[in-house]
Amino acid sequence: MIELVDICREFTVGEERVQALKNVNLKIEQGEYASIMGPSGSGKSTLLNVLGLLDTPDSGKYFLNGSNVAQLSDDELAARRQQVIGFVFQSFHLISRMTALENVELPMTLSGLSASKRRKRAEQMLERTGLADRMGHRPDQLSGGQRQRVAIARSIVMEPRLLLADEPTGNLDSKSGSDVLALLEELNQEGITLVMVTHDPAIGDRSRLSLRMHDGELTAERKR
């Protein structure tokens, strides 16, 4: 599903050039469960942003489902971000004035689906994530774990094949974090490719493919 070939990405910080990704090579198959670990500043989030088509490498090639990303138009890139990739962030990124149901409906607004179909699918996703009784609640009326489950429902409402999660349990207590992790792993078992950035070795060790970043360089270890 994913193939990176000699990917490099640099940033300018003050007067210094920082090489965030150094000749990164990686293959991830459909249905894989991968974790990305490493110290702060090692390139984890940069790698995730490249995978999610939110950032463009300076050199190298990225193939997503066999397509060379560099050859896609802006419209084609936007379509893949909407239809192929789901995102889960540490800080949820929910719209505070909207209910849980309205937040989950958001990705479908440009999909061409009727309002009734958007509503029905959003309801199904909230039921799927255990929030059938919280659909009318705004984010400030939900716990951290519930907010993250709304965010996950929103991320899968377009039925993506790839789910990118950046520290999805970072702002949660241990019980809520365990519940969210279990939900993500359940989605992976149903066929979604899961790539997750985490600082927690106990979480990273649960993945089948462990990716470790250090100073922009990547090593990979398959455990099972």
Side-chain angles (χ1 to χ4, degrees):
M1 183 178 196
I2 288 170
E3 182 177 6
L4 303 183
V5 182
D6 293 331
I7 291 290
C8 295
R9 183 72 172 102
E10 290 188 354
F11 297 98
T12 300
V13 181
E15 298 181 355
E16 184 181 358
R17 291 291 289 173
V18 176
Q19 199 165 2
L21 298 177
K22 301 177 184 177
N23 298 309
V24 170
N25 291 278
L26 173 64
K27 288 184 179 181
I28 296 179
E29 301 295 333
Q30 174 66 39
E32 184 62 270
Y33 177 11
S35 61
I36 305 174
M37 292 179 286
S40 296
S42 61
K44 303 186 303 298
S45 292
T46 301
L47 176 57
L48 203 70
N49 287 339
V50 167
L51 294 177
L53 309 179
L54 298 175
D55 194 9
T56 303
D58 298 308
S59 62
K61 294 181 179 180
Y62 175 17
F63 297 92
L64 178 62
N65 286 335
S67 297
N68 186 341
V69 166
Q71 297 176 352
L72 300 177
S73 68
D74 288 345
D75 287 345
E76 289 171 326
L77 288 171
R80 279 163 173 75
R81 279 193 294 268
Q82 183 188 38
Q83 299 166 8
V84 179
I85 304 170
F87 300 91
V88 181
F89 302 97
Q90 178 176 351
S91 54
F92 319 132
H93 291 326
L94 300 177
I95 296 180
S96 60
R97 67 178 183 276
M98 290 185 170
T99 65
L101 188 62
E102 291 167 339
N103 269 281
V104 176
E105 284 185 281
L106 267 180
M108 296 183 286
T109 54
L110 300 177
S111 67
L113 289 174
S114 66
S116 61
K117 288 182 178 179
R118 293 199 303 267
R119 179 60 52 98
K120 182 177 180 181
R121 185 180 290 186
E123 289 173 348
Q124 290 171 340
M125 292 303 103
L126 285 169
E127 289 169 1
R128 171 69 184 81
T129 54
L131 293 170
D133 59 343
R134 294 290 187 271
M135 293 186 189
H137 290 61
R138 294 188 309 274
D140 62 358
Q141 298 171 314
L142 301 171
S143 68
Q146 289 170 338
R147 276 180 260 174
Q148 191 61 291
R149 281 188 279 156
V150 172
I152 292 171
R154 181 185 59 190
S155 75
I156 62 173
V157 74
M158 294 296 293
E159 300 180 340
R161 298 175 62 191
L162 172 63
L163 192 57
L164 303 177
D166 194 356
E167 297 282 1
T169 63
N171 282 338
L172 305 178
D173 60 67
S174 58
K175 173 63 168 62
S176 297
S178 295
D179 291 344
V180 164
L181 185 60
L183 175 58
L184 291 171
E185 291 178 343
E186 192 174 304
L187 292 168
N188 171 249
Q189 290 164 9
E190 293 172 3
I192 291 180
T193 304
L194 175 61
V195 181
M196 178 168 52
V197 165
T198 180
H199 277 97
D200 188 340
I203 294 175
D205 286 344
R206 296 167 68 109
S207 65
R208 292 185 295 271
L209 178 62
S210 177
L211 308 173
R212 295 185 181 272
M213 298 291 301
H214 184 73
D215 291 339
E217 297 182 329
L218 176 73
T219 58
E221 174 190 3
R222 186 170 298 282
K223 290 170 288 191
R224 59 183 186 275

